Amino acid sequence: MARTAKGWQLYQDQRTGVFQARFTHDGQRHSFTTGETDSGAAGSEAARIYAEVVSGRWSPGKTLTAPKGMPFNEVAALWLADIESSIDPRTFTLYQDTYVATHFAPFFETIDRLTTVGAEDYISVRLRKFTRHTIKKELSVLRRLAKWAHRRGYLEQMPEIETPGTRVLGHAADSARKQTFLVFAAKEMAAIIAKLPEHATSKRSGERFPVQARFSVAWESSLRPATLDKLSVPENYRPGCAALTISDEVDKNRFRRELPLSENAREALDSVCPTSGIIFGAHDFRTLLRAAAKAAGIDEYRAKHISDYDFRHSRLTHLGQVSSNLSGMM
């Protein structure tokens, strides 16, 4: 028995019960198995196959029946490979390591579980731990992946992935990240920096790394710790230069700019600047900072809770007190 719908027809194999999609395109007759024994599901599959052929996405020999139960991470890997050239490296890493590997793949496991109901279940689970704002970002990526998978036949139907309404708040994540930042006066910061060692050695890797110079630059420049970690020669600095070149790759907001350096900052950089490569690197400074703060006479509470981010907050607070140049501070 045949059923006509937008140029294609369904024919059921009486031996197997599986429906086939048949149609003519560009003067050539085509017949493809839908892999379905249910007429409703077969109709959806036939429509997708027909769209693949008439759009030019199909080539002879290409299998069009949607894979069932294919591992989610395998389909996601194909998607990531397809979009890699269209997004910047930081976004690609976020999609790959955080969204796909940490959140999507462990929950859905196989691509056929990415349905409207499956998406609703995912949202429900995530809202128990995170806010609507966080989930909204994830769902945008999930929609993009689903759209790609549907167009290429990995999803039989495009799921409805709706963002929770504005009245849905979710729950703030339990985080080990510091929630309150401390402010230190300029004299206190100078005393803390003076008590820091010039270098320290990583207990884990045995690597020797600069400490005092890093925090001198942190105080003078008010750069984010993550940006300081990534500064390198010659990409961002050369010995004797009057400014740092802050590239898109090292700045959180991808704000490329030339950052003028004070004499103290230049001296600190030149004292530890390698011939090439990373200048400071990412290290755990908490123990070093707390010991230096205590030795500098800082009160017990602040000495115990000081972090590298406090240098940025304290510097900006200090600049706000001594300068009215708001655009310069920004």
Side-chain angles (χ1 to χ4, degrees):
M1 179 179 180
R3 185 178 72 185
T4 302
K6 298 183 179 180
W8 51 263
Q9 292 181 316
L10 282 179
Y11 289 86
Q12 190 174 31
D13 188 320
Q14 298 302 314
R15 295 167 300 174
T16 63
V18 176
F19 284 92
Q20 288 187 331
R22 297 179 182 178
F23 53 88
T24 299
H25 176 64
D26 282 347
Q28 187 174 4
R29 298 184 68 180
H30 296 278
S31 179
F32 297 94
T33 180
T34 66
E36 300 287 353
T37 57
D38 176 78
S39 60
S44 297
E45 183 68 1
R48 185 188 65 78
I49 291 173
Y50 181 77
E52 285 283 308
V53 174
V54 300
S55 66
R57 293 192 293 268
W58 175 80
S59 58
K62 178 181 177 182
T63 301
L64 285 175
T65 303
K68 301 185 185 307
M70 190 170 181
F72 189 98
N73 57 357
E74 291 185 14
V75 177
L78 296 172
W79 169 65
L80 288 167
D82 195 34
I83 67 170
E84 184 173 9
S85 62
S86 65
I87 57 179
D88 66 79
R90 289 172 59 182
T91 301
F92 179 83
T93 300
L94 176 66
Y95 284 9
Q96 176 181 257
D97 296 345
T98 302
Y99 291 144
V100 171
T102 304
H103 301 320
F104 300 158
F107 182 86
F108 293 104
E109 296 183 348
T110 56
I111 194 64
D112 56 336
R113 292 186 61 190
L114 179 50
T115 61
T116 299
V117 173
E120 290 175 352
D121 290 342
Y122 175 81
I123 294 168
S124 178
V125 169
R126 297 292 288 158
L127 283 172
R128 295 181 192 136
K129 297 181 179 180
F130 298 94
T131 64
R132 173 186 179 275
H133 179 70
T134 298
I135 307 306
K136 183 179 179 181
K137 296 178 182 178
E138 296 178 15
L139 296 182
S140 175
V141 179
L142 188 61
R143 279 190 211 95
R144 184 173 179 180
L145 192 163
K147 187 176 182 180
W148 181 93
H150 176 60
R151 285 180 172 177
R152 285 156 181 78
Y154 296 104
L155 280 176
E156 293 187 12
Q157 295 182 340
M158 179 64 192
E160 297 179 12
I161 305 175
E162 298 181 356
T163 300
T166 54
R167 292 186 178 182
V168 178
L169 300 179
H171 297 275
D174 294 330
S175 175
R177 261 194 303 184
K178 187 174 180 178
Q179 300 298 319
T180 303
F181 297 100
L182 304 175
V183 175
F184 296 81
K187 289 184 178 180
E188 291 177 320
M189 278 300 183
I192 293 170
I193 292 171
K195 294 296 182 180
L196 285 168
E198 292 185 1
H199 290 82
T201 302
S202 172
K203 294 181 180 179
R204 178 174 299 179
S205 65
E207 177 187 0
R208 191 166 181 265
F209 56 92
V211 179
Q212 191 177 80
R214 182 191 191 279
F215 286 97
S216 292
V217 175
W219 172 250
E220 294 290 334
S221 66
S222 70
L223 285 171
R224 291 184 176 88
T227 300
L228 288 167
D229 293 344
K230 298 173 185 176
L231 293 178
S232 63
V233 178
E235 292 80 6
N236 307 112
Y237 183 73
R238 292 184 177 86
C241 285
L244 277 173
T245 299
I246 305 299
S247 57
D248 292 342
E249 292 75 18
V250 303
D251 186 71
K252 177 181 179 181
N253 297 319
R254 301 183 182 88
F255 176 32
R256 181 180 178 85
R257 63 195 185 279
E258 293 291 318
L259 179 66
L261 293 170
S262 66
E263 183 177 349
N264 288 339
R266 288 199 304 271
E267 289 180 356
L269 282 165
D270 290 343
S271 68
V272 297
C273 194
T275 304
S276 64
I278 296 294
I279 300 174
F280 299 120
H283 301 282
D284 187 348
F285 296 100
R286 288 174 295 180
T287 300
L288 296 170
L289 285 172
R290 291 166 185 171
K294 184 177 180 180
I298 304 300
D299 60 89
E300 183 179 354
Y301 178 82
R302 289 191 301 158
K304 184 178 180 180
H305 294 87
I306 188 173
S307 73
D308 54 356
Y309 222 104
D310 292 330
F311 282 71
R312 174 175 168 82
H313 283 267
S314 297
R315 182 62 172 178
L316 293 174
T317 299
H318 171 70
L319 291 175
Q321 294 171 342
V322 301
S323 172
S324 59
N325 185 1
L326 296 180
S327 60
M329 288 175 58
M330 292 174 65

